[in-house]
Amino acid sequence: MTTDNNHRLFSDAAPIHAIGAGLLDCTLPRERWTHEAHLAACFWLMVERPDIDLDREIAPTIRRYNASVGVPNDDRHGYHETITRAFLGGVRLYRAEHIGGDLLDQVNGLLTSAQSARDWPLNFWSRERLFSVEARLSYKPPDLETPALAALLPYLPREPDRA
């Protein structure tokens, strides 16, 4: 999997704040909702809005935003539960490994990390599983055993207990 991300980095923190706030209040222009913006918003929410329980609120927040810009949230478009949870876990893993620095440095560091590569989840999920309708609509745990998976697992949702 690639780690040569070629992401656009931020020159200052103001756009990061604007992306996070724009996601929450549904004012972010659709064309600014890029992969980098998804990651920056996730990091911003963790740092600047600890009052928001991301495990509960990330899905409705993104769905609400998508609807506000005309993107349907269905089995083929819009919010993707497993990909969102994968990157949320990746951002948490990055934060745990890179303590310190201001928001700009942290977000730009994230954008140059392995966890920000668009295909990074494919280190842990098969393409078939990750891009299935079921994985879009509900969280599906990783199905590939890799050495790096152990570091990520604490940051992913836990499977419900099976009685």
Side-chain angles (χ1 to χ4, degrees), residues 5-141:
N5 303 332
N6 295 318
H7 294 318
R8 294 174 298 266
L9 300 181
F10 292 92
S11 58
D12 64 76
I16 299 167
H17 291 283
I19 288 166
L23 170 64
L24 291 177
D25 64 18
C26 298
T27 59
L28 182 69
R30 182 177 177 179
E31 64 274 4
R32 291 195 54 211
W33 191 227
T34 63
H35 180 69
E36 294 91 344
H38 280 72
L39 294 167
C42 184
F43 197 94
W44 180 84
L45 286 165
M46 286 181 192
V47 172
E48 301 289 327
R49 295 299 307 269
D51 58 305
I52 296 174
D53 180 349
L54 289 179
D55 292 317
R56 284 185 334 128
E57 296 300 320
I58 197 69
T61 297
I62 294 174
R63 285 185 183 118
R64 183 177 57 249
Y65 171 77
N66 285 345
S68 78
V69 295
V71 175
N73 294 294
D74 58 27
D75 63 357
R76 294 182 308 158
H77 305 96
Y79 183 76
H80 191 297
E81 180 71 15
T82 303
I83 289 176
T84 298
R85 298 299 169 172
F87 280 110
L88 181 61
V91 172
R92 285 177 167 150
L93 174 61
Y94 175 83
R95 278 195 73 206
E97 293 177 344
H98 299 87
I99 298 170
D102 63 18
L103 180 67
L104 177 64
D105 290 340
Q106 288 286 309
V107 170
N108 281 342
L110 171 63
L111 292 175
T112 61
S113 74
Q115 290 94 331
S116 72
R118 294 181 203 299
D119 62 356
W120 177 76
L122 293 172
N123 288 295
F124 312 103
W125 282 265
S126 65
R127 183 171 296 281
E128 296 74 24
R129 183 177 189 116
L130 188 62
F131 294 109
S132 69
V133 170
E134 295 79 15
R136 176 179 287 281
L137 299 178
S138 64
Y139 177 72
K140 299 299 175 200

